[in-house]
Amino acid sequence: MPELPEVETMCRGIACFCGEIIATTQFPRYTRRPSPIEPRPRTMAAKLHRSRIMDITRLGKRAVLRIQHNETPVDSFLVFEPRMTGLLLRVSPPTQQHVRLAITTREKQRLIFWDRRGLGTITLIDKSTFEARFGSHALGPDALTITGAALHTKIHSSRRHIKVALLDQKILAGVGNIYASEILHEAKVDPRTRCHRLSQNTCDRIATACSRILHHAIKMEGSSIGDETYRTADNRPGRYQRFHKVYGRSDNKCFRCETKIQRVVQAQRSTFFCPQCQRRY
DNA sequence: CGTTCAACCTGGGCGC
DNA sequence: TGCGCCCAGGTTGAAC
């Protein structure tokens, strides 16, 4: 579920935790660890206790809390990866059953990571591990600030479909399945176009569309489709789904040219596009 | 290099 | 009403 606009909205929604000190942590039904060497819940709880949340930032589709302990003033990073159904909440969760982490601060606020499917991850790592895992070699530039030139450089020799490349977090960080379709519709590019056929000019258009769509989606606090789906930190649905031009609209008319929107499958994921006004290069 | 598949999970919706 | 099947916003690693 959560892509860049949703994670950005979550981060803004929990910004009120900055500066607060962690009093209690509970990991009921903790999610599986990203890898066997990840810290266990007990280890994390011990490190988090009486630590201060220094700041909260988004890194691609992850929320990162920088943590500092009084007695060992070295940064560590609490990283949340919501994957499909993870949510960061500061109000009561939809069910108790899927609470993966509950933090109470000394100031009596509650921060909850809730994840119905349990595919999301929580990890607490030091600076060097953080950089090894999430440095620029592992993660492309943020999708909000990608330039056409940077995109062109990254993909010009690739034979992959552009839609599949946009989902690759090494190319650019933050775009997921919903926004990839929306961006290519805005840029008027067929999702099945192979990257090496895209000119610098067309890459400029994709980068511009990327920034416009994502900024608008952030303004609307992300996309919520259905009931058990993404919510803001205070448990409200986002509103950007009202602005979707292609995602989930197969067989409906394109708003731009009235042609029927098509659904195809690429890399085992649904892609929606207008076969008339999105050009194949 | 690129593509496909399975796996990690839960639960909603659908056809029968 | 119940059962089995398919589907879902993400990521990873193995196989071809």
Side-chain angles (χ1 to χ4, degrees):
Chain A
M1 148 220 299
E3 308 180 27
L4 184 150
E6 290 76 25
V7 179
E8 178 67 27
T9 306
M10 288 178 198
C11 288
R12 293 181 185 185
I14 61 167
C16 51
F17 285 90
C18 284
E20 299 206 347
I21 292 179
I22 295 170
T24 67
T25 56
Q26 291 173 297
F27 289 86
R29 296 199 63 195
Y30 176 57
T31 51
R32 82 183 192 298
R33 287 180 284 173
S35 78
I37 57 167
E38 298 298 318
R40 296 173 166 283
R42 276 192 176 193
T43 315
M44 287 195 275
K47 283 187 181 169
L48 289 171
H49 184 56
R50 299 174 63 186
S51 289
R52 188 186 293 275
I53 300 169
M54 305 302 287
D55 54 54
I56 299 172
T57 52
R58 179 187 56 77
L59 189 63
K61 301 176 190 172
R62 297 177 177 91
V64 181
L65 277 62
R66 189 164 60 89
I67 303 288
Q68 210 173 83
H69 202 285
N70 257 351
E71 291 141 35
T72 47
V74 180
D75 286 343
S76 48
F77 299 88
L78 181 60
V79 182
F80 293 97
E81 194 178 332
R83 302 256 179 125
M84 299 287 262
T85 51
L87 298 178
L88 282 166
L89 298 166
R90 57 181 176 81
V91 298
S92 295
T95 65
Q96 287 303 313
Q97 190 188 357
H98 300 113
V99 173
R100 311 292 172 171
L101 168 59
I103 289 175
T104 311
T105 61
R106 202 172 274 180
E107 293 78 4
K108 302 296 177 202
Q109 287 206 88
R110 295 232 309 156
L111 174 62
I112 289 166
F113 185 67
W114 183 89
D115 185 6
R116 178 162 60 77
R117 282 174 74 175
L119 300 177
T121 63
I122 305 166
T123 191
L124 182 61
I125 52 183
D126 62 24
K127 191 161 192 165
S128 63
T129 311
F130 181 83
E131 270 162 17
R133 188 89 53 82
F134 307 122
S136 56
H137 56 94
L139 224 48
D142 193 78
L144 276 185
T145 56
I146 184 91
T147 63
L151 184 61
H152 188 252
T153 304
K154 287 225 166 215
I155 65 175
H156 76 94
S157 60
S158 164
R159 303 190 63 81
R160 284 197 291 181
H161 290 165
I162 179 61
K163 156 68 167 18
V164 178
L166 288 181
L167 293 180
D168 184 343
Q169 301 300 297
K170 285 180 189 156
I171 306 283
L172 76 173
V175 173
N177 207 38
I178 293 179
Y179 295 104
S181 285
E182 294 299 323
I183 288 163
L184 290 174
H185 180 262
E186 169 83 6
K188 302 185 180 178
V189 175
D190 188 306
R192 301 163 298 182
T193 305
R194 297 202 181 263
C195 289
H196 68 104
R197 304 190 57 90
L198 293 167
S199 65
Q200 164 81 247
N201 210 22
T202 313
C203 285
D204 284 344
R205 239 173 43 237
I206 295 171
T208 303
C210 189
S211 152
R212 279 185 56 176
I213 296 267
L214 296 176
H215 277 292
H216 187 195
I218 290 170
K219 210 168 187 176
M220 294 298 118
E221 302 186 293
S223 303
S224 296
I225 301 165
D227 292 340
E228 296 275 335
T229 181
Y230 155 75
R231 291 291 184 274
T232 63
D234 49 357
N235 197 16
R236 289 175 294 106
R239 303 183 301 285
Y240 191 71
Q241 66 280 5
R242 303 174 193 170
F243 298 89
H244 290 177
K245 303 286 197 298
V246 286
Y247 187 83
R249 296 194 65 248
S250 43
D251 297 333
N252 292 309
K253 284 182 179 176
C254 174
F255 295 128
R256 213 156 43 198
C257 73
E258 309 245 302
T259 306
K260 273 191 176 183
I261 302 298
Q262 264 186 37
R263 174 186 176 269
V264 293
V265 173
Q266 296 177 284
Q268 305 147 259
R269 331 256 339 246
S270 293
T271 301
F272 300 89
F273 70 105
C274 171
Q276 175 64 35
C277 65
Q278 289 180 247
R279 187 173 153 197
R280 192 165 186 172
Y281 294 89

